[in-house]
Amino acid sequence: MKNAPADWREQNKEQRAAINQFHIAAITEHFRTAKKKDEVRAEDLPLDQRLANYIVEGTRDGLIEDLEKKRAEGTAPLDIINGPLMTGMAEVGRLFNANELIVAEVLQSAEAMKASVNHLEQFMEKADTAKRGRIVLATVKGDVHDIGKNLVEIILKNNGYDVVNLGIKVPPEELIKAYQQHRPDAIGLSGLLVKSAQQMVITASDLKDAGISIPLLVGGAALSGKFTQTKIAPSYGNAVCYAKDAMTGLRLMNELMDPATRDTVLREHAVSDNGVSVKTTVTVKELPAVGRSPKVRADLPIQPVAYLDRKVRLVPDLRELWTYINPFMLFGRHLGYRGDFEKHLAAREPKAVELFAAMEEVKEEAAKFMKVRAVWQFFEAEAEGELLHLFGPGESTPLHTWKLKRQKTGDRLCLSDYILPAERGPANDGNRDHLAVFVVTAGEGVRERSEAAKNAGYYFRSHGLQSLAIETAEACAEWLVHVALSRQAIQLWISRVSGSGRSGGHMEIVETGRDRD
């Protein structure tokens, strides 16, 4: 294990398995020998502070008993929620923004808040409400990604907001109906894909045409503040706020619902001229046409493929598959760990150890139902400039054609350059190049189980299941390339790109299964 490369991508199967087992054993030892922190006795703290601390620390031990003590003092349930409990949630937000809490810890705090509200609601009158405002959330039309939106829902709900979650692939007309039905204070749009950013522009325009003018909150991996300001806001003609993460969305909603700050937020995120953006004349230099980049050779023989039929495979060994997961993506991107997770885990830093242990529990649950599958097939292929054609065996009419992009500068490369052109095909020597296309999935049932956990107030489990499913699909793509396709493609692909050459062989376009259903 000492000789294992630091980069997980360079480790072999045995090294990854050994390192994983080492971490699990060390975590077991950590929790067996860890000494409890010296703490001020809870009973010595004022009751309100204890209640707030349950939320900040994300613990339920003693929570219900102290809620009952607070009720015994004559404090109304709604006042408990809006008082010490919301004070705790405000502190959670402050600590997160100060980089002292990570997403996983915020979810644990939300779990404690959910448990508190669930207990107190049974003593509240129907007329009582702890709602600070209402927002409709939706993943825009054409996008199935909802993990970020669901995190926003959890954070807002447990900070006193009424959230109407419309789900995924929501067209503008459904959003308009939801606005008319629920009369929200704001609408939140989410989307991961690049095309979703453009769909937000279209959706914003449709909302404007329907006479809707309430603030929009937008977020997603492909979005930026600049795109929001220059594209979405002009299309909407009213306030559009860019929320880079869930806690930013909470801050924006708090400011919008506070009479003291609302006008300032609307003014800062509005556009002038009723949504008409300023037009600028730009002179575009015309680039010379390039049929294919000279950096990629096309004078080498084509190697045959072993099969052209479709392959479907169940991947039963989840433990092996999970060794291909990128730790930065799972623990850093999805769970919000800051810093080098692998380095901190090896150093036994408590936060890294506890997060790893928590995800091991999620994996145990996922292993009971997750059925990972892969589908792949080699197709005959021809390149025609930036077009990439796929064919059935010996067929002359393409099954599918991709229109790809070419670099505007540098070597002017395009993915189609790595497939031999049509003039090298059957019309000349009877052979075509080949391309492997594959799709992977973490299997069905993930979204349903995640939703059930969320509704039951187990927010970390809910978020963890979706995060694990996404990275399991990515890991399956990595595994498939290394195991199932390696004999047919990888060595030839490496020789093709090394030395700016092009060897005969095959190229694969990777399509990873991101929809957890």
Side-chain angles (χ1 to χ4, degrees):
M1 200 165 67
K2 291 182 179 179
N3 298 323
D7 191 333
W8 66 278
R9 298 172 189 82
E10 299 174 4
Q11 298 164 0
N12 60 36
K13 175 183 174 182
E14 291 74 20
Q15 289 170 331
R16 284 193 296 270
I19 290 170
N20 197 49
Q21 288 303 313
F22 172 75
H23 287 322
I24 293 172
I27 285 166
T28 303
E29 184 66 17
H30 167 83
F31 285 110
R32 183 183 297 121
T33 61
K35 295 180 179 179
K36 290 186 176 180
K37 299 177 182 177
D38 292 330
E39 297 177 349
V40 178
R41 292 197 313 166
E43 56 267 33
D44 293 337
L45 294 173
L47 183 54
D48 280 6
Q49 186 175 339
R50 292 207 304 270
L51 290 172
N53 282 353
Y54 288 119
I55 306 303
V56 175
E57 295 170 7
T59 180
R60 307 183 194 190
D61 295 337
L63 171 62
I64 302 303
E65 291 83 350
D66 276 350
L67 286 172
E68 284 301 289
K69 289 178 182 178
K70 190 64 179 176
R71 278 205 323 115
E73 292 180 356
T75 307
L78 185 57
D79 293 335
I80 299 174
I81 293 172
N82 289 333
L85 297 181
M86 289 308 300
T87 298
M89 286 304 292
E91 178 64 7
V92 169
R94 187 193 70 78
L95 291 172
F96 180 84
N97 291 328
N99 292 333
E100 295 181 39
L101 289 181
I102 63 175
V103 170
E105 292 169 314
V106 172
L107 289 170
Q108 290 167 343
S109 293
E111 288 183 4
M113 186 69 177
K114 173 72 170 177
S116 301
V117 174
N118 282 351
H119 177 73
L120 292 171
E121 277 182 338
Q122 61 184 311
F123 307 109
M124 295 168 64
E125 299 293 335
K126 289 186 177 180
D128 287 346
T129 177
K131 303 307 178 187
R132 304 165 68 182
R134 178 176 294 163
I135 183 171
V136 168
L137 295 180
T139 299
V140 294
K141 180 181 177 181
D143 199 321
V144 300
H145 300 89
D146 61 355
I147 186 169
K149 172 177 60 63
N150 289 344
L151 182 57
V152 172
E153 177 189 2
I154 290 169
I155 299 303
L156 289 177
K157 271 190 173 181
N158 287 281
N159 277 272
Y161 289 97
D162 183 15
V163 180
V164 180
N165 189 341
L166 299 182
I168 60 175
K169 299 186 289 186
V170 180
E173 53 269 24
E174 191 173 331
L175 270 166
I176 293 168
K177 289 180 182 177
Y179 168 80
Q180 294 167 342
Q181 178 182 351
H182 300 287
R183 294 295 170 181
D185 300 292
I187 294 174
L189 302 179
S190 176
L192 178 79
L193 305 175
V194 173
K195 68 177 183 180
S196 297
Q198 186 56 43
Q199 179 60 46
M200 288 185 191
V201 176
I202 297 169
T203 299
S205 177
D206 289 345
L207 293 175
K208 176 188 173 185
D209 291 344
I212 298 172
S213 59
I214 60 174
L216 292 186
L217 275 66
V218 297
L223 277 185
S224 66
K226 182 178 180 181
F227 185 90
T228 301
Q229 183 181 14
T230 60
K231 300 294 183 180
I232 303 176
S235 180
Y236 188 48
N238 295 283
V240 182
C241 307
Y242 169 62
K244 65 177 182 178
D245 53 40
M247 297 307 287
T248 303
L250 172 62
R251 175 182 59 79
L252 287 166
M253 279 301 295
N254 288 344
E255 291 174 351
L256 285 168
M257 299 311 298
D258 185 346
T261 55
R262 179 178 176 84
D263 289 343
T264 301
V265 176
L266 292 176
R267 185 169 59 252
E268 289 176 348
H269 294 87
V271 292
S272 57
D273 299 324
N274 195 30
V276 180
S277 58
V278 177
K279 290 183 171 60
T280 305
T281 302
V282 178
T283 303
V284 179
K285 182 180 179 181
E286 209 169 306
L287 296 171
V290 174
R292 63 185 289 118
S293 173
K295 292 291 284 188
V296 184
R297 295 173 59 187
D299 58 349
L300 296 173
I302 299 173
Q303 302 295 326
V305 295
Y307 52 84
L308 289 172
D309 55 321
R310 187 178 68 174
K311 303 294 182 181
V312 181
R313 180 168 176 178
L314 177 68
V315 188
D317 192 346
L318 284 174
R319 284 293 166 182
E320 177 191 352
L321 193 63
W322 284 335
T323 64
Y324 286 87
I325 286 179
N326 183 342
F328 168 76
M329 291 301 298
L330 179 59
F331 294 100
R333 183 64 59 82
H334 294 300
L335 300 176
Y337 190 87
R338 296 181 175 95
D340 189 329
F341 179 81
E342 288 183 286
K343 181 179 178 181
H344 293 171
L345 183 61
R348 304 290 167 257
E349 293 197 10
K351 190 172 287 191
V353 169
E354 291 171 14
L355 185 57
F356 184 89
M359 277 309 299
E360 285 299 303
E361 292 181 4
V362 173
K363 286 180 179 179
E364 285 184 16
E365 180 179 350
K368 297 174 183 176
F369 70 88
M370 194 175 279
K371 290 181 172 56
V372 180
R373 293 187 292 278
V375 182
W376 71 92
Q377 184 171 355
F378 284 92
F379 291 90
E380 293 184 2
E382 291 178 355
E384 182 184 351
E386 285 81 44
L387 299 179
L388 183 53
H389 304 296
L390 297 187
F391 298 87
E395 297 293 328
S396 58
T397 302
L399 295 170
H400 184 76
T401 297
W402 278 296
K403 173 71 168 125
L404 303 170
K405 298 288 186 180
R406 182 172 298 281
Q407 290 177 328
K408 292 184 169 65
T409 59
D411 294 329
R412 304 293 304 279
L413 289 166
C414 179
L415 277 176
S416 59
D417 295 339
Y418 293 91
I419 292 293
L420 289 174
E423 56 265 24
R424 283 287 308 270
N428 292 312
D429 57 16
N431 293 320
R432 277 194 180 113
D433 210 338
H434 293 88
L435 180 145
V437 181
F438 62 85
V439 179
V440 297
T441 176
E444 58 272 41
V446 175
R447 179 171 279 121
E448 291 81 2
R449 284 173 169 81
S450 174
E451 191 70 18
K454 182 180 70 174
N455 293 337
Y458 295 104
Y459 297 132
F460 179 84
R461 184 190 305 170
S462 172
H463 188 72
L465 278 173
Q466 284 203 321
S467 301
L468 179 63
I470 291 171
E471 294 310 315
T472 297
E474 297 286 356
C476 186
E478 185 91 10
W479 171 86
L480 185 64
V481 168
H482 279 89
V483 178
L485 296 177
S486 58
R487 297 175 193 168
Q488 289 290 334
I490 299 306
Q491 296 89 347
L492 296 166
W493 171 253
I494 292 172
S495 63
R496 180 173 301 192
V497 299
S498 61
S500 299
R502 193 279 180 208
S503 73
H506 327 285
M507 165 188 168
E508 58 274 356
I509 284 185
V510 178
E511 303 252 356
T512 57
R514 294 175 182 270
D515 183 1
R516 277 78 62 200
D517 286 343

